[in-house]
C-alpha cells in the first residue's frame, strides 16, 4: 500500500529496480564525515538541510543527475536493485564482546565501513578497558557514530541499549574530501519496506545503498568507497 505524506506514516518503500519512495515528511540533511589529521573517522558534521517535502523519491541506482532525488535514470541504465540482504533480526545475527559494565553487540552484515571502530586498537579491545571512564566514553562514542547500526553498546545492569537519540530523519552521507557520496543514513526508527512488501526490522540507525553497487541491497556494504 503506498504511504501518504502524513508524519505518522513515515516510511521508506524500496521499489523494484527503482528509487526509495519516502513518505511522511521525513527531514533530509547532508551528513559529512569528519576525520582527524591521521585520517581516522571521528564524527559527523551536519550540512545543508533540504526543504521539507511530504513525499519524495531518492535515487537508488546511483545514476541520477538530480541526486539525491530520482530522475528516472534507473529505467535506462539496466539497474538491478534486487534485494539480497538477510532478513533475520539484528540480535539473531550479532556476536558479543564483554566489558566490565557494558557489552558490545556486533553484526558485521550491516557494516558500511565508516571505520569509527578501528581507531587505536579498535572498539573490541577498548571495551575490555571500559572500567575506566575515558575508555567507556570513547567506546560509547565510537559505537554511536557507527551509522550503519552494526555496533550497539548495552548497559549490563539494565540490559538496555545505550543508543543515541535521533529525530526521524535521513542523512545524505558524504566523505570529508572530494565529495565522496556514501549511503542514506536512516535514523530514528523509520520503517523500511522491501519491494515485495517485507518490513525490515525497524532500527534506530541503519544505512541504505544509494550508489547502486552494494551486494547487500537495500543496505550499504561499503562498495561506494571503491570509486
Ligand atoms: S552507498 Fe552503495 S554501497 Fe554504500
Amino acid at each position: 500500500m503506498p504511504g501518504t505524506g502524513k508524519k505518522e506514516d513515515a516510511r521508506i518503500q524500496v521499489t523494484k529496480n527503482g528509487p526509495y519512495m519516502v513518505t511522511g515528511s521525513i527531514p533530509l540533511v547532508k551528513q559529512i564525515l569528519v576525520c582527524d589529521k591521521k585520517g581516522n573517522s571521528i564524527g559527523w558534521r551536519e550540512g545543508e538541510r533540504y526543504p521539507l517535502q511530504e513525499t519524495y523519491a531518492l535515487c537508488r541506482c546511483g545514476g541520477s543527475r538530480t541526486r539525491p532525488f530520482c530522475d528516472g535514470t534507473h529505467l535506462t541504465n539496466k539497474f538491478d536493485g534486487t534485494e539480497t540482504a538477510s532478513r533475520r533480526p539484528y540480535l539473531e545475527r550479532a556476536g558479543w564482546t564483554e566489558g566490565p559494565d557494558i557489552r558490545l553487540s556486533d553484526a558485521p552484515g550491516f557494516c558500511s565501513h565508516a571505520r569509527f571502530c578501528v581507531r587505536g586498537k579498535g572498539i573490541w579491545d577498548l571495551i575490555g578497558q571500559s572500567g575506566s571512564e575515558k575508555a567507556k566514553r570513547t567506546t560509547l562514542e565510537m559505537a554511536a557514530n557507527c551509522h550503519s547500526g552494526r555496533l550497539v553498546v548495552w548497559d549490563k545492569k539494565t540490559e538496555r541499549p545505550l543508543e543515541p537519540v535521533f529525530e526521524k530523519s535521513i542523512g545524505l552521507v558524504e566523505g570529508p574530501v572530494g565529495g565522496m557520496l556514501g549511503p542514506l543514513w536512516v535514523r530514528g526508527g523509520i520503517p523500511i519496506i522491501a519491494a515485495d512488501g517485507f518490513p525490515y526490522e525497524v532500527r534506530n540507525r541503519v544505512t541504505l545503498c544509494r550508489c547502486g553497487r552494494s551486494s547487500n541491497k537495500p543496505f550499504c556494504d561499503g562498495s561506494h568507497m571503491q570509486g
Side-chain angles (χ1 to χ4, degrees):
M1 199 174 76
T4 70
K6 290 190 193 132
K7 237 185 167 79
E8 60 274 21
D9 196 26
R11 66 166 147 161
I12 298 172
Q13 173 71 58
V14 183
T15 64
K16 191 177 177 194
N17 300 327
Y20 300 108
M21 296 303 304
V22 180
T23 55
S25 303
I26 299 173
L28 188 62
V29 57
K30 285 188 182 173
Q31 290 290 335
I32 297 129
L33 185 64
V34 177
C35 293
D36 65 14
K37 284 186 186 140
K38 291 182 186 157
N40 294 308
S41 302
I42 54 169
W44 296 99
R45 176 168 65 78
E46 187 170 308
E48 177 191 353
R49 275 197 170 239
Y50 286 73
L52 196 60
Q53 299 183 75
E54 287 187 351
T55 64
Y56 49 91
L58 291 176
C59 174
R60 188 161 81 93
C61 73
S64 172
R65 279 150 299 185
T66 58
R67 276 188 301 198
F69 302 107
C70 170
D71 70 352
T73 295
H74 60 276
L75 296 169
T76 54
N77 68 0
K78 301 198 172 99
F79 172 57
D80 179 0
T82 306
E83 291 162 81
T84 53
S86 168
R87 294 182 168 188
R88 287 166 58 217
Y90 174 83
L91 284 178
E92 277 183 21
R93 298 163 61 187
W96 295 88
T97 308
E98 298 291 325
D101 305 322
I102 53 177
R103 60 167 63 101
L104 179 73
S105 56
D106 176 6
F110 284 94
C111 190
S112 59
H113 301 276
R115 298 179 59 77
F116 286 101
C117 54
V118 296
R119 195 160 24 124
K121 289 186 181 165
I123 195 169
W124 302 270
D125 178 78
L126 193 63
I127 196 160
Q129 303 161 35
S130 58
S132 106
E133 259 319 299
K134 185 168 177 240
K136 185 174 176 180
R137 217 175 32 247
T138 310
T139 304
L140 284 165
E141 183 191 301
M142 285 161 112
N145 276 328
C146 169
H147 58 342
S148 71
R150 165 182 171 172
L151 299 169
V152 178
V153 172
W154 301 73
D155 185 321
K156 285 170 85 161
K157 269 200 203 102
T158 63
E159 298 294 343
R160 306 280 306 164
L162 300 168
E163 278 289 277
V165 176
F166 293 120
E167 69 166 333
K168 276 190 173 45
S169 58
I170 298 175
L172 300 163
V173 171
E174 291 188 8
V177 280
M180 182 199 76
L181 295 183
L184 302 175
W185 180 7
V186 179
R187 302 172 291 194
I190 300 170
I192 300 168
I193 316 295
D196 66 5
F198 176 83
Y200 290 101
E201 180 182 21
V202 175
R203 302 197 61 219
N204 186 35
R205 50 197 161 109
V206 76
T207 46
L208 290 174
C209 174
R210 65 169 171 140
C211 74
R213 296 201 296 268
S214 173
S215 301
N216 190 36
K217 290 188 184 75
F219 301 104
C220 167
D221 71 352
S223 296
H224 60 271
M225 295 168 85
Q226 287 155 20

